[in-house]
Amino acid sequence: MTEIANTEIQLLKEIEQLRSELAAAHRTKAVRTAELFNSEERFALAMRGASDGLWDWDLETDEVYYSPRWKSMLGYGEHELENNLSTWASMVHIDDKDFVLKDVQKFLSGEVDTFEVEMRMRHKAGHDVFIRSRAFKVSRGENNETVRLVGTHVDITRQKKAELFDKRNAKILEMIAKGKPAPEIYNEIALMYEERHSGLRCSMLELEGSKLLHGGAPSLPKAYCEAVHGLENGPEVGSCGTSSYTGKRVLVKNIETDPKWVDLKHVALPYGMRSCWSEPIKNSSGKVLGAFGMYHNYPTLPNEEESNDLTSAAQLACIVMERDQNQKRIRDLAYTDKLTNLSSRTHFYLNIEKLVKTSARDKNKFGLLYIDLDNFKNVNDSLGHDVGDILLMRVAQRLKRACREIDYIARLSGDEFCIAVNNVMDDYGAAQVAQRCLELISKPVELAGRKFTPACSIGIAHYPDDGIDLKTILKAADTALYAAKDLGKNRYAFYKKELTEKAEYRFKIEQYLREAIEKQQLSLVYQPKVDINSGSIIGVEALCRWHHPLLGQVSPVDFIAMAEQIGMIKPLTEWILKTACNQSTLWNEAGFSSIRMAVNISPSHFLDSDLVPLIKRVIKDSGIMPNELELEVTEGGVHTNQENLAIFEHLKELGVLLAIDDFGVGYSSFASLKHLNVDFLKIDKYFIDDMLVDHKAKLLVGSMIEMGHNLGHKVTAEGIEKEEQFCMLQELGCDTAQGYLFSKPVSANQVSKLLGRNFTC
Ligand code: C2E
Ligand code: CA
Ligand code: CA
């Protein structure tokens, strides 16, 4: 470095000397040319052998002379670059160009006396070279006008890199001191060494037991990191797997041919990795914590500097890894309940506090279950604490099974457990989990050779309804727990009493609904659809009815929604479709031909991949003509995403008719029409109700009919109760009508009687 600096100083002195000679030369025009020529000659001679590049910019012609050294510094031969300013402009780093040009301007205008800048220039091989550029003015004439700028380039890359390395090193130490997360620091360490050695890529792997876990590798492809994550280390598992196994440095010059990489090279070679050197990361007592890996895109072994860096990189990573692993261990000790492996009370409280914050931010509701084993004391007293412990472990396993992935379980103390039921839509989400807990916990267990049936009581509270911070929600859940015990144990209770009854009623109905098909409590009724022009019945809509011996008649609005929630909608729809299509064939056989059978399909089922095969099967089994089956789906089911459009297309290919039900009340009505190939729009009763009294409603209905027709759809109006509505719809050109005016939904037998009737306005 000093050697270069000395040459530079020497050179600058000579240039300064030349500058004054040049200035003197300008004094007399006559001698100028000869003297200038000589000076330039000497200048050039002075430069020869120096390690600096020379540039000479003629401001009048804009020609720039670049010396051979100037060019070779950037990897170019003597004749590879043109002698003009754009050569420089195309090679200077884009972020540095502006300030360099500004400094040149300042220097030329006399605002500053000296010119010295540091900038990055692109080497022919693609990397950046740090350059220090200095310049001197060459003036001429009586006005001392600047005609040329002459300057030098010094390559200061090494010095710059050393400075950057020091800075990064300091930053990493600061990150360690401030306790930043380990993965962030690993990435910084990798980037620091990568910046120092062009083309290098680094990785850090942590060793957990005998498994290698991804620590940090910001420049390696994700797919490679994922492939390595979780690998068992061993005597021949790549470079890092081997070095973490043997505790020794492993240098692999060529991944392609090295036997240690036989099983792994297929994930490395496609990403260009050709050589890999690995240093085990060992703590102060010599235990291997992981491995530091350095990769190159060509077969090579480390030089002395790289070899030293491999050692220091592993040492630096060790500081972070050791600290991180200690912290994890402490956290695990404090945060896990040793007996059950569930979260500890401390951890649970911390998490609930976090959950309160995120739920407040996202406006989410969550439920808290406070669970207490019934009569646990008896087990402890009669069978001993060891048996009690076994029961607690079993209970913990069962609670885990009762929860979803996103729920969170902890053991608070003794026989008390808590579950946070995350992101619940209504009050029943938490009750469902509670119900499952009750069911699973009350399964018999064998303890000390004796069969035992455990039981628990559960209190349920909700954020934010029953409390908006940890303390109040816990208190509410605890109060509810006592209510559950009072109710007779082995049950749950809500903090709000009325919810307990409601939830129980609901679960009872759910249970009943599951049995409804089997117990033949379901039936279909059919509501005629009338062709407005001919007045005859051209089809029916099948509507489902449920009569339960205790509950009586349950509204389809309620039980269909419930069936969707409890995953019953598929078997239910299957039953409805089969029954309706069989009925259609029966009518056909009885001589009532071409009665279109409309069946409602709930939106959630409509999007299911099972629907198309189901329809196909039902058509085949029942013998219904596909064009006599109409599927009604509400707008909720017709978002125009790709998947949805495909279902419409598949159904159309089967030849069935499609109708958009409750048209006009959803948000997507018109937007969806543009893409969907449907046969009918079924205008919602809401508009028909208002038609007679509200002029605007009538206008709307008229427009919907017209628009439907223009887009090639037929239009049905539903909920017609009055003669006047019927007449008005006829006037507006509507195609089909349905409503109590013609008939309420009735049994299949009654439909047969209606079929001959004619309805005219
Ligand atoms: P929806 O598909 O819009 O069915 C029309 C509802 O309006 C039926 O009620 C029908 O009885 C009633 N309705 C028809 N004309 C009139 C009228 O002039 N005045 C009045 N006030 N009401 C009329 P329902 O049968 O109670 O069905 C209600 C909803 O339950 C249906 O609305 C549909 O969304 C659902 N649903 C019924 N059966 C099924 C089914 O089999 N599958 C599915 N997925 N949903 C069904
Ligand atoms: Ca319908
Ligand atoms: Ca409807």
Side-chain angles (χ1 to χ4, degrees):
M1 202 78 72
T2 42
E3 204 179 278
I4 296 176
N6 285 341
T7 334
E8 204 180 323
I9 291 164
Q10 176 63 27
L11 190 68
L12 291 176
K13 276 186 193 153
E14 283 183 42
I15 291 170
E16 190 53 41
Q17 164 83 21
L18 286 166
R19 204 171 70 90
S20 51
E21 282 180 25
L22 280 170
H26 290 150
R27 277 194 293 276
T28 52
K29 219 174 179 184
V31 292
R32 203 202 85 215
T33 319
E35 271 187 285
L36 190 60
F37 177 76
N38 287 342
S39 306
E40 276 176 330
E41 271 283 84
R42 271 199 268 149
F43 190 91
L45 280 173
M47 291 307 299
R48 196 171 294 159
S51 60
D52 300 4
L54 170 75
W55 54 270
D56 182 347
W57 176 14
D58 187 324
L59 297 171
E60 287 175 330
T61 64
D62 237 5
E63 270 180 349
V64 192
Y65 164 78
Y66 302 106
S67 73
R69 175 66 189 128
W70 191 100
K71 291 175 186 168
S72 68
M73 207 175 269
L74 299 171
Y76 293 92
E78 176 116 35
H79 304 294
E80 281 189 276
L81 297 173
E82 287 192 26
N83 283 340
N84 52 38
L85 199 59
S86 359
T87 298
W88 173 83
S90 66
M91 293 164 86
V92 69
H93 195 289
I94 184 120
D95 296 342
D96 296 351
K97 192 162 151 185
D98 280 355
F99 86 79
V100 176
L101 286 175
K102 261 188 209 137
D103 280 10
V104 169
Q105 210 53 50
K106 277 189 204 159
F107 182 53
L108 281 175
S109 67
E111 198 179 317
V112 292
D113 295 337
T114 53
F115 175 87
E116 180 177 323
V117 291
E118 287 176 1
M119 63 190 165
R120 285 162 294 173
M121 295 192 73
R122 184 145 299 270
H123 192 275
K124 192 178 176 186
H127 57 268
D128 284 338
V129 178
F130 286 87
I131 299 282
R132 178 178 299 131
S133 181
R134 289 184 170 132
F136 307 93
K137 287 186 226 172
V138 180
S139 312
R140 176 174 78 195
E142 274 150 30
N143 302 339
N144 225 11
E145 189 193 345
T146 307
V147 288
R148 282 163 56 203
L149 274 188
V150 181
T152 56
H153 267 192
V154 183
D155 183 343
I156 52 164
T157 310
R158 277 181 71 87
Q159 173 192 341
K160 267 291 176 206
K161 280 200 170 174
E163 272 171 26
L164 282 175
F165 188 76
D166 287 348
K167 256 193 216 156
R168 274 196 180 266
N169 222 335
K171 183 181 169 195
I172 289 167
L173 294 176
E174 189 185 323
M175 287 174 90
I176 296 174
K178 283 188 175 163
K180 294 274 176 199
E184 267 178 42
I185 312 182
Y186 291 150
N187 283 354
E188 275 303 315
I189 296 177
L191 292 172
M192 175 171 80
Y193 286 98
E194 286 170 9
E195 198 172 70
R196 194 159 142 99
H197 303 283
S198 140
L200 182 75
R201 289 186 281 177
C202 300
S203 82
M204 272 141 283
L205 292 171
E206 291 185 54
L207 195 63
E208 200 177 281
S210 58
K211 276 204 162 57
L212 296 164
L213 303 181
H214 172 77
S219 311
L220 289 182
K222 207 167 155 244
Y224 176 76
C225 298
E226 277 167 7
V228 173
H229 183 76
L231 275 184
E232 289 275 331
N233 71 351
E236 294 216 313
V237 182
S239 307
C240 292
T242 311
S243 75
S244 66
Y245 183 80
T246 57
K248 296 202 175 89
R249 170 178 286 203
V250 172
L251 301 177
V252 169
K253 183 177 178 187
N254 192 345
I255 288 178
E256 205 164 2
T257 53
D258 195 291
K260 288 188 277 306
W261 276 85
V262 167
D263 295 333
L264 271 180
K265 64 180 172 191
H266 66 281
V267 283
L269 295 175
Y271 301 107
M273 290 125 94
R274 282 291 178 283
S275 53
C276 176
W277 323 317
S278 173
E279 180 78 5
I281 299 173
K282 289 184 190 171
N283 71 4
S284 39
S285 50
K287 185 180 169 223
V288 178
L289 307 178
F292 195 102
M294 289 184 166
Y295 297 81
H296 267 294
N297 279 5
Y298 48 90
T300 180
L301 286 171
N303 58 27
E304 195 185 334
E305 192 190 23
E306 287 164 334
S307 178
N308 291 340
D309 277 357
L310 186 56
T311 312
S312 52
Q315 281 165 353
L316 193 54
C318 176
I319 301 175
V320 186
M321 224 168 255
E322 193 165 24
R323 186 209 64 180
D324 192 50
Q325 292 187 356
N326 282 339
Q327 275 177 354
K328 270 190 201 144
R329 208 166 314 122
I330 293 169
R331 216 179 304 137
D332 281 353
L333 282 176
Y335 287 181
T336 328
D337 170 54
K338 271 210 257 4
L339 180 67
T340 60
N341 253 341
L342 297 177
S343 282
S344 67
R345 175 191 287 269
T346 324
H347 199 199
F348 187 72
Y349 285 1
L350 279 174
N351 268 294
I352 297 298
E353 272 167 353
K354 257 193 233 157
L355 191 58
V356 163
K357 277 196 195 122
T358 52
S359 302
R361 185 194 64 204
D362 304 338
K363 300 207 166 29
N364 275 342
K365 184 175 172 125
F366 72 86
L368 198 73
L369 311 189
Y370 211 123
I371 304 166
D372 186 275
L373 291 188
D374 296 334
N375 307 321
F376 179 67
K377 200 170 167 298
N378 293 350
V379 178
N380 259 349
D381 290 349
S382 58
L383 301 173
H385 283 265
D386 290 348
V387 176
D389 282 355
I390 295 174
L391 176 61
L392 290 174
M393 285 191 270
R394 291 284 174 77
V395 166
Q397 286 159 357
R398 291 175 176 189
L399 289 179
K400 267 192 203 156
R401 286 220 315 269
C403 287
R404 302 163 303 167
E405 199 68 37
I406 54 164
D407 301 332
Y408 184 75
I409 326 171
R411 176 169 168 237
L412 299 195
S413 65
D415 62 340
E416 281 181 356
F417 297 84
C418 239
I419 300 177
V421 186
N422 219 334
N423 207 352
V424 289
M425 296 300 166
D426 51 30
D427 295 318
Y428 305 106
Q432 252 164 2
V433 178
Q435 181 70 33
R436 276 204 301 277
C437 291
L438 290 178
E439 280 163 17
L440 287 174
I441 296 230
S442 61
K443 290 204 158 59
V445 276
E446 222 180 80
L447 294 174
R450 279 163 54 183
K451 212 172 192 177
F452 178 80
T453 306
C456 67
S457 301
I458 304 175
I460 308 175
H462 278 102
Y463 169 89
D465 310 15
D466 306 327
I468 50 162
D469 56 31
L470 169 72
K471 211 170 135 199
T472 47
I473 311 165
L474 265 180
K475 186 144 191 339
D478 192 41
T479 310
L481 172 65
Y482 280 93
K485 295 241 178 213
D486 281 348
L487 287 171
K489 299 190 173 173
N490 196 23
R491 49 187 305 172
Y492 63 80
F494 281 88
Y495 178 65
K496 288 205 179 77
K497 284 192 194 70
E498 63 278 16
L499 286 181
T500 310
E501 269 167 40
K502 274 194 196 160
E504 277 172 352
Y505 177 73
R506 202 183 134 103
F507 284 123
K508 213 169 12 178
I509 296 188
E510 269 184 32
Q511 189 53 35
Y512 291 158
L513 184 58
R514 285 183 212 279
E515 301 162 353
I517 300 181
E518 220 175 284
K519 295 195 172 166
Q520 300 186 341
Q521 293 162 354
L522 295 176
S523 62
L524 289 188
V525 284
Y526 303 89
Q527 188 177 31
K529 289 184 178 179
V530 173
D531 180 284
I532 295 191
N533 289 320
S534 69
S536 54
I537 294 174
I538 46 131
V540 293
E541 176 179 3
L543 293 156
C544 193
R545 296 291 176 259
W546 178 25
H547 184 85
H548 185 268
L550 295 175
L551 301 170
Q553 202 72 24
V554 186
S555 156
V557 179
D558 293 339
F559 74 78
I560 296 283
M562 191 175 290
E564 279 180 22
Q565 272 176 21
I566 63 172
M568 274 278 297
I569 196 69
K570 281 199 221 172
L572 189 62
T573 311
E574 181 164 353
W575 180 86
I576 294 167
L577 271 166
K578 277 184 184 160
T579 313
C581 292
N582 288 338
Q583 182 59 54
S584 169
T585 342
L586 285 179
W587 279 331
N588 247 317
E589 284 164 7
F592 304 111
S593 58
S594 304
I595 301 296
R596 222 163 59 214
M597 177 61 75
V599 177
N600 291 288
I601 306 289
S602 48
S604 68
H605 191 192
F606 196 81
L607 293 179
D608 197 286
S609 58
D610 282 357
L611 184 72
V612 177
L614 171 65
I615 303 285
K616 229 188 224 172
R617 213 166 50 236
V618 171
I619 291 176
K620 187 165 164 263
D621 294 349
S622 65
I624 192 174
M625 299 289 290
N627 64 0
E628 286 186 1
L629 175 60
E630 177 183 337
L631 304 178
E632 292 189 8
V633 60
T634 54
E635 283 179 57
V638 293
H639 296 302
T640 51
N641 59 21
Q642 214 43 47
E643 177 194 8
N644 211 325
L645 293 178
I647 290 181
F648 270 85
E649 285 314 313
H650 289 142
L651 290 172
K652 287 303 326 164
E653 279 163 21
L654 293 182
V656 298
L657 305 170
L658 299 174
I660 297 188
D661 203 356
D662 302 347
F663 185 76
V665 291
Y667 291 109
S668 59
S669 320
F670 300 106
S672 56
L673 285 183
K674 210 174 110 193
H675 304 279
L676 296 176
N677 182 5
V678 294
D679 304 276
F680 298 96
L681 303 184
K682 220 176 156 187
I683 300 178
D684 194 76
K685 179 172 181 294
Y686 171 85
F687 299 97
I688 311 300
D689 282 347
D690 285 0
M691 249 170 81
L692 296 178
V693 286
D694 183 349
H695 184 62
K696 280 188 190 155
K698 183 186 168 189
L699 279 178
L700 268 174
V701 173
S703 312
M704 282 193 256
I705 295 172
E706 198 185 329
M707 183 206 55
H709 285 165
N710 286 340
L711 292 172
H713 312 298
K714 293 235 174 210
V715 181
T716 307
E718 67 177 326
I720 297 160
E721 293 178 348
K722 298 197 175 91
E723 189 82 30
E724 293 94 310
Q725 290 167 326
F726 184 34
C727 298
M728 198 176 269
L729 285 161
Q730 190 177 41
E731 212 177 279
L732 292 172
C734 188
D735 303 286
T736 322
Q738 180 185 350
Y740 290 177
L741 175 67
F742 314 106
S743 166
K744 287 199 167 183
V746 291
S747 70
N749 270 343
Q750 285 168 295
V751 172
S752 320
K753 288 178 199 144
L754 285 172
L755 283 176
R757 285 189 53 182
N758 198 275
F759 301 90
T760 42
C761 176

